[in-house]
Amino acid sequence: METKWLEDFVSLAETRSFSRSAQLRHVTQPAFSRRIQSLEAWAGTDLVDRSSYPTRLTPAGETLYGQSMEMLQALQSTRAMLRSHTSAGQDVIEFAVPHTLAFTFFPAWVSSLREKFGPIKSRLIALNVHDAVMRMVEGSCDVLIAYHHPSQPIQLDADRYEMVSLGQEVISPYAKPDADGAPLFKLPGRVGQLLPYLGYAPGAYLGQMVDVILKQSGTAIHFDRVYETDMAEGLKAMALEGHGIAFLPYSAVKKELRAKRLVSAVPPDLKGLEITMDVRAYRERPSTKELLRGLGQGAGQGHKGVAADAKRSAQALWDYLVAS
């Protein structure tokens, strides 16, 4: 039996909807249903009355719901106690960040943050988007930083989490230039002469953004997918070697563009082959973690005074981000 099954079950008991709980738990509805069925197999009895709508729990389900709340609370308390034994890191802010943002956005953002806010101790956990969101949902990080676009929103309950926008990111196609500075491969290509395409692996968030770009472009694009990975840095490395066209975030290629090692693969007369995403930070509210306590610390000292305090909190950082 896995604890995530209990968390799924608690969500279902509270929403009374398989589809809504699947959204909140960031899984597909079939996968969510299988996890509930696995929990029922472990329990040896039906926990959900599937003959009614909205979904109702069976008497056994009602019993397990109460027990699940106690067990999950006990596990959370135990984890908090274990973490309190860690001598280091009490003033370290843990960030869960998707791989691309970890490479492209986060280092420069932290540098600018330190210039204005002051010294900050941080720990970066680089993951794919799904796992980064789950870190936040499971309470295993202080701040989640992720892309957001209306076509592929991150479904976090606004009553439980708060958000602040950190900026925007544009993703568009790039290629290595030839000796004259023109792209080796220029969109849109044509039938019989497909352009080598460096794509994101299935399920990658940026790959979903590229799908949106191509669907909305209104122009037939002729690609031959020759390589794929779930990391933008991997695609950039292949593009730099001249292996094809890659859709990349601007923050990932701005140095290469200045050095003219990469150029836009879009001719001036071709429009609509880019998309703008928000970069957002999320955190749970209110947090019970010791790190996020101390709302009043450093009052009247200004941001640098708070940041210089050895007992600064992630709350002070969040207040700064919101005010900015």
Side-chain angles (χ1 to χ4, degrees):
M1 199 273 288
E2 301 183 31
T3 56
K4 67 182 178 182
W5 296 351
L6 292 179
E7 293 167 348
D8 292 339
F9 180 68
V10 168
S11 175
L12 180 61
E14 293 175 349
T15 66
R16 306 284 172 164
S17 167
F18 276 83
S19 59
R20 177 59 179 154
S21 285
Q23 287 181 337
L24 293 174
R25 296 290 292 158
H26 305 286
V27 296
T28 64
Q29 187 169 335
F32 182 84
S33 296
R34 287 194 296 271
R35 283 169 23 176
I36 296 298
Q37 290 168 0
S38 296
L39 182 61
E40 288 178 316
W42 174 85
T45 185
D46 289 340
L47 303 172
V48 179
D49 181 356
R50 294 174 173 81
S51 66
S52 64
Y53 186 84
T55 301
R56 292 187 307 182
L57 301 183
T58 63
E62 293 287 355
T63 298
L64 182 61
Y65 173 60
Q67 294 296 315
S68 296
M69 297 292 285
E70 293 183 13
M71 286 187 283
L72 291 172
Q73 182 60 49
L75 285 172
Q76 291 283 354
S77 299
T78 301
R79 181 170 62 178
M81 285 190 292
L82 293 174
R83 290 186 172 189
S84 70
H85 293 308
T86 304
S87 58
Q90 290 305 302
D91 56 347
V92 173
I93 301 174
E94 292 192 7
F95 294 89
V97 185
H99 289 109
T100 298
L101 286 169
F103 281 110
T104 63
F105 173 83
F106 190 81
W109 178 70
V110 169
S111 294
S112 64
L113 191 66
R114 284 173 172 161
E115 290 178 5
K116 299 177 182 179
F117 180 79
I120 176 176
K121 295 181 181 179
S122 59
R123 179 180 296 118
L124 174 67
I125 309 163
L127 309 137
N128 61 43
V129 172
H130 174 270
D131 290 346
V133 174
M134 290 310 299
R135 279 270 181 171
M136 171 59 62
V137 172
E138 294 169 355
S140 299
C141 68
D142 300 306
V143 179
L144 163 70
I145 297 179
Y147 289 124
H148 169 84
H149 189 269
S151 67
Q152 296 290 334
I154 291 178
Q155 302 286 352
L156 286 174
D157 187 351
D159 291 333
R160 182 179 173 187
Y161 302 95
E162 56 185 332
M163 178 276 295
V164 62
S165 178
L166 303 179
Q168 292 186 320
E169 177 77 278
V170 177
I171 182 171
S172 54
Y174 300 95
K176 182 179 180 179
D178 60 19
D180 297 323
L184 286 175
F185 313 103
K186 186 185 299 184
L187 291 168
R190 59 178 181 268
V191 177
Q193 191 172 352
L194 303 181
L195 299 173
Y197 175 49
L198 312 173
Y200 294 93
Y205 188 89
L206 292 183
Q208 296 170 352
M209 291 294 94
V210 174
D211 291 342
V212 173
I213 294 173
L214 297 178
K215 288 177 182 178
Q216 295 179 349
S217 69
T219 301
I221 306 297
H222 304 282
F223 276 147
D224 177 24
R225 182 183 288 259
V226 297
Y227 178 77
E228 67 178 37
T229 180
D230 58 359
M231 295 182 64
E233 286 297 308
L235 295 182
K236 182 177 76 171
M238 292 292 285
L240 285 167
E241 292 297 325
H243 292 291
I245 293 175
F247 283 77
L248 298 166
Y250 174 75
S251 63
V253 298
K254 58 184 179 181
K255 292 181 180 179
E256 288 75 15
L257 292 175
R258 285 197 297 264
K260 298 183 179 180
R261 298 177 63 206
L262 287 176
V263 294
S264 172
V266 183
D269 59 338
L270 192 58
K271 307 296 182 183
L273 283 172
E274 66 178 31
I275 201 167
T276 301
M277 305 171 291
D278 283 338
V279 178
R280 295 183 171 184
Y282 301 83
R283 70 122 181 219
E284 187 172 5
R285 59 166 154 190
S287 176
T288 57
K289 294 185 67 175
E290 185 67 30
L291 182 63
L292 296 179
R293 292 176 184 161
L295 281 169
Q297 289 180 11
Q301 300 179 52
H303 292 303
K304 284 192 178 284
V306 175
D309 191 328
K311 295 184 178 180
R312 79 166 84 75
S313 68
Q315 178 67 50
L317 170 63
W318 193 264
D319 289 344
Y320 172 74
L321 293 177
V322 171
S324 300

